[in-house]
Amino acid sequence: MKKNYYGAKFIITLLFVYLILFEFILPVNKVLPQPSQILESFAESWNVYVMFQSIVSTTSVIYVSMLLAYLLILGVLKIAPTLFASVELSSIKPMKYIPFIFPVLLFLFWFGASIWGEFFFAFVLVSALLKLEAANRLKNINREYLDVAVNLGLSRHEAAKKIVPKILGKHLYHELAEKHYLIWMVILFYEFAEKGNGLGGIYYRALYYNDFVFLFVVTIIITLLIWVGEKILVVIEAKYFNWEE
């Protein structure tokens, strides 16, 4: 609690210094905009940049793809829990050296400036992250749970279908929460490269029209959205995945 108090105090102090310094002391500059300029630009953005539709577009792509990918991987674990056990993680490691700009451009080449192409890209991205997490966790799952279920009369396969999804469901959700910021950044880059949909597209237009002030406005909006999304994910995890293995 004390740590949060000092953190909030530090941020308020920075904002106060920024307000005094850039609003009343320094002239108009290209380093940081005046607070009054930000407020004016924020008010204009809802019409000029179609802000509400962009927020809905980006957040829908991110959180709907996260939900569907989570349900998909969890569903596969309930039907065939050992399916990911054969995934050899060492053979996948070289893929981490491939620049992520390549799959982004590949999807743009396939689908163009399409919201459905963007959603499919986000879904594939999140599914791949969760699949790797499932494969990794399957190799390290506590076998005692399965042994107990087998001793109670279940077959090995039935025990795995009942226990593995329950255990891995928690880890998969935690992986989503951990990768939340990464998913946001990749999708924003996708939209920026797409030059169209969502908040990333607004970044592109603000840069294209040399709208210096609005670059800060959209950054503030995105920061708040990521912060709120993270807090909601933490609350859900604490409420539904607070049990210990």
Side-chain angles (χ1 to χ4, degrees), residues 172-212:
L172 293 178
Y173 185 87
H174 184 73
E175 178 71 2
L176 277 181
E178 286 289 308
K179 295 294 192 297
H180 176 245
Y181 180 78
L182 173 65
I183 295 169
W184 261 95
M185 293 303 102
V186 174
I187 297 306
L188 286 175
F189 178 80
Y190 186 101
E191 293 176 342
F192 182 87
E194 187 183 36
K195 304 177 184 178
N197 297 310
L199 295 168
I202 290 183
Y203 259 136
Y204 173 81
R205 292 194 292 275
L207 189 62
Y208 180 82
Y209 292 113
N210 199 29
D211 195 337
F212 171 71

Side-chain angles (χ1 to χ4, degrees), residues 35-104:
S36 58
Q37 290 178 313
I38 291 179
L39 292 176
E40 292 172 4
S41 182
F42 184 88
E44 294 173 357
S45 67
W46 298 93
N47 294 322
V48 176
Y49 287 97
V50 200
M51 180 59 70
F52 180 75
Q53 292 91 324
S54 297
I55 291 175
V56 171
S57 176
T58 299
T59 55
S60 297
V61 165
I62 291 173
Y63 294 111
V64 172
S65 64
M66 287 172 63
L67 175 62
L68 293 182
Y70 177 80
L71 294 177
L72 171 67
I73 301 300
L74 203 60
V76 172
L77 287 171
K78 289 181 179 180
I79 298 171
T82 58
L83 183 62
F84 299 142
S86 59
V87 176
E88 186 56 51
L89 297 177
S90 60
S91 64
I92 302 175
K93 285 183 179 180
M95 295 183 64
K96 70 180 182 180
Y97 300 108
I98 299 176
F100 78 87
I101 189 175
F102 173 71
V104 169

Side-chain angles (χ1 to χ4, degrees), residues 193-239:
E194 187 183 36
K195 304 177 184 178
N197 297 310
L199 295 168
I202 290 183
Y203 259 136
Y204 173 81
R205 292 194 292 275
L207 189 62
Y208 180 82
Y209 292 113
N210 199 29
D211 195 337
F212 171 71
V213 177
F214 193 67
L215 289 174
F216 288 85
V217 172
V218 71
T219 298
I220 292 171
I221 292 172
I222 291 172
T223 300
L224 289 174
L225 289 173
I226 295 175
W227 180 79
V228 171
E230 182 179 295
K231 294 303 178 184
I232 292 174
L233 290 174
V234 169
V235 169
I236 293 174
E237 185 171 16
K239 184 175 179 62

